[in-house]
Amino acid sequence: MTRWCLAARALALSALAASGGLSLGAERVDLGAIDPNFDYHSYANVDQFRVTHLDLELRVDFEFQSITGRAALELKRLDPRATQLVLDTRDLMILDVTQKATDVLGATAKNQTIWVSRPFHLEKPDPILGTALVIELPPSKRGTEAIRIDYETLPASAALQWLTPKQTARHKAFLYTNSEPIGARSWIPLQDTPQVRATYKAKVHTGVDVRAVMSAENDPKAKRTGDYTFVMPEAVPSYLIALAVGDLEFQETGPRTGVYAEKSMIKEAAREFADTESMIQANEKMFGPYRWSRYDVLVMPPSFPEGGMENPRLSFITPTVVVGDKSLVSVIAHELAHSWAGNLVGNATWRDLWLNEGFTDYMESRIMTAVYGQQRSSMEAVLGLKSLRSGLAKLKPDDQILAIDLRDRDPDAVFSEIPYEKGRLFLDYLDAKFGRERFDAFLRGYFDHFAFKSITTEQFLAYLQENLLDRFPGIVTRGQVNAWVFGPGLPADAVLPVTTMFEPVDEARTAWLAGKLAPKKLGMDWIAQQWLYFLDNMPATLPPSQMADLDKAYGFTKSPNAEIAHSWFKLVIANDYQPSFPRLEEYLKTVGRRKLIAPLYEALMKTPSGAVVAKRVFAKARPGYHPETVKAIEAIVVPKEETGE
Ligand SMILES: [Zn+2]
């Protein structure tokens, strides 16, 4: 992840919260105590106004790489004296702001929809937060108001990726949004904070050769007219508003599940994700009903920077998990689990992300156990623990705590292994201590109690205290809980995952390294997770002959499994194994998933000859990467002096 040069803003933001006005540019002196109820990554004055519904009209222009939009915001006014509405924007041209006349003129304009212009201005942009849009409004005693904003996005927008026809399988242009954590403000002016949840409707206009889909009710049978309408009847935070436009086909995989993808991928993807309905049922049995009606999956172009994004009703999924053997479908289990953790009960600020990702990782593992068995999920859990340990080794103690302090920082900094793997181990711990039956009942109650709400770490802890710790006293103390949530590292009494499935892998590797086992006899019945473990635990150096033997026996260089290829290429780079370099370069040019390419660039940069390769490949691959991936790889490949930071 990229780190920007951080400007000091925390004090200014606190002042903003207190006064409802803006005072950017104050110098940081002392951050003081965190206010858990304040979102340090939004300018929105949510204590005075709350958006409850959005009506969007979006015109997608591939030629100019721009969305022309009209966003009508329905607002609940909390403060009758407030005279400014502050919204989040980033790289947006604001053309006009109007207010629904009934709100201005009261009863006189009843039954007429007149929109009256309102004065507005944009504040000075901040490199992380973007630009506050300040709209002047008269004080009002009315409980609700409606504001309409006409705007255009700029091609530089980091939350939008515009792919040219050459960059997609079907040679048609493709657009997708990536709003988490604070990208929504760069394609919609709104209160871009997870504290606020709103329903939305949208009309999207495109060319007739493409189809638009959103994180909303999609109609798979909709004709390609270039005009598409969407309704999202459940209130969602802004980071879950998503749009994709491309040459998309649809194939059903179950009564309430299906796959959208470009034609060349649709059949393979539908086969790969055939178990989605079983996954939903497994989760419903454990944690209560699925409340979003349909669950569809959109297979993204290869440049998609994440494994998946849990956009409600329509998860966006990397094509790198379409392997042919369902070996990487834990990504689907993960995004599906977000339909409960995150999308249904979510984090109020980015400090609370662990409530979203830790719960999801825990539930992902439960789904994988239910559908594919304990052996596979235990292997995945042990691999997760391994990545947590390497994450812990790199993070300073303050960044090892679940309720991380993100003030004055890019919220991207929260996306380490901590909220995911440590969060999940905390839930594993509670599960083990209280027992499965009690803990499942607790989680079911939790999802019911906070359904369609965004909560803070402190709200969760109060609920936990009342409904688990106090209900079954003498099992876990508040001190033990606090060690998990506010302490660095892993508590000594953590319950760590174990598996016996890697023992034969260790034995086979040792025997092969000692020349006592032919490469072909290594793992006749191993599954992908065992191969990953096999490759990831090799000694630092291997002679070229052994690299060649392995590749000859298993064809790792050409592996259709992008994760196995990634582990293999790490060995290829560490051992400067030249025969695999041409394919490595191709891989870096076709895969855009950050997790699978950033470590390879990092490894290449460790030697002068590798650095030459990294720079050459990055120059060629760059136009096909997502803007966020470009930033991340740039930070690895281009020395600081060259970027001018
Ligand atoms: Zn997730």
Side-chain angles (χ1 to χ4, degrees), residues 310 334-335 338 356-357 360 420:
E310 65 271 23
H334 181 96
E335 305 314 331
H338 273 303
N356 178 339
E357 296 298 351
T360 294
Y420 292 80

Side-chain angles (χ1 to χ4, degrees), residues 16-85:
L16 168 67
S19 69
L22 286 168
S23 57
L24 293 175
E27 288 305 313
R28 169 174 166 174
V29 185
D30 175 16
L31 291 175
I34 294 177
D35 176 356
N37 297 311
F38 182 65
D39 184 350
Y40 292 87
H41 296 102
S42 168
Y43 289 118
N45 49 341
V46 296
D47 50 341
Q48 297 182 312
F49 296 96
R50 291 250 168 177
V51 174
T52 54
H53 177 78
L54 286 144
D55 253 310
L56 301 170
E57 179 139 19
L58 307 171
R59 208 164 284 280
V60 177
D61 188 329
F62 279 101
E63 197 189 335
F64 292 99
Q65 302 202 330
S66 167
I67 295 176
T68 307
R70 169 172 278 182
L73 277 50
E74 280 173 29
L75 301 159
K76 198 166 145 200
R77 183 186 262 273
L78 306 178
D79 181 351
R81 292 161 308 161
T83 56
Q84 286 188 331
L85 168 68

Side-chain angles (χ1 to χ4, degrees), residues 29 109 130 182 196 234 292 445 467 483 524 537:
V29 185
I182 56 171
V196 173
E234 287 94 22
W292 306 85
N467 294 284
M524 315 298 277
N537 291 282

Side-chain angles (χ1 to χ4, degrees), residues 228-348:
Y228 304 95
T229 54
F230 304 93
V231 178
M232 185 47 170
E234 287 94 22
V236 293
S238 51
Y239 78 90
L240 292 177
I241 304 178
L243 167 71
V245 180
D247 186 16
L248 298 169
E249 307 275 328
F250 175 81
Q251 187 166 328
E252 207 173 79
T253 57
R256 53 181 163 170
T257 60
V259 175
Y260 290 90
E262 290 192 302
K263 197 171 187 176
S264 56
M265 260 240 156
I266 189 87
K267 287 222 153 63
E268 286 165 87
R271 265 198 305 274
E272 198 82 26
F273 305 144
D275 298 334
T276 308
E277 173 61 28
S278 312
M279 289 182 176
I280 299 178
Q281 286 179 15
N283 221 34
E284 283 187 313
K285 221 166 123 190
M286 296 182 282
F287 305 115
Y290 178 75
R291 304 187 205 212
W292 306 85
S293 141
R294 286 194 64 83
Y295 181 80
D296 293 320
V297 164
L298 170 63
V299 182
M300 302 299 285
S303 66
F304 188 57
E306 316 297 337
M309 179 60 214
E310 65 271 23
N311 298 314
R313 292 173 182 238
L314 184 68
S315 290
F316 289 13
I317 301 290
T318 169
T320 59
V321 301
V322 182
V323 182
D325 60 3
K326 300 182 183 173
S327 58
L328 303 179
V329 294
S330 61
V331 170
I332 302 289
H334 181 96
E335 305 314 331
L336 171 68
H338 273 303
S339 306
W340 286 260
N343 299 7
L344 183 65
V345 182
N347 48 291

Side-chain angles (χ1 to χ4, degrees), residues 99-103 105 109-116 146 148:
Q99 185 181 21
K100 205 172 185 177
T102 46
D103 297 325
L105 306 172
K110 239 181 195 166
N111 304 323
Q112 297 172 41
T113 311
I114 304 168
W115 293 83
V116 180
R148 204 165 68 178

Side-chain angles (χ1 to χ4, degrees), residues 508-525:
R509 190 192 310 100
T510 306
W512 171 71
L513 285 168
K516 290 179 189 157
L517 187 68
K520 272 226 149 84
K521 300 235 164 99
L522 272 169
M524 315 298 277
D525 52 356

Side-chain angles (χ1 to χ4, degrees), residues 439-456:
F439 190 58
D440 279 2
F442 166 78
L443 283 179
R444 262 200 308 276
Y446 164 76
F447 289 126
D448 276 340
H449 185 76
F450 291 112
F452 298 106
K453 290 202 171 69
S454 304
I455 64 167
T456 61

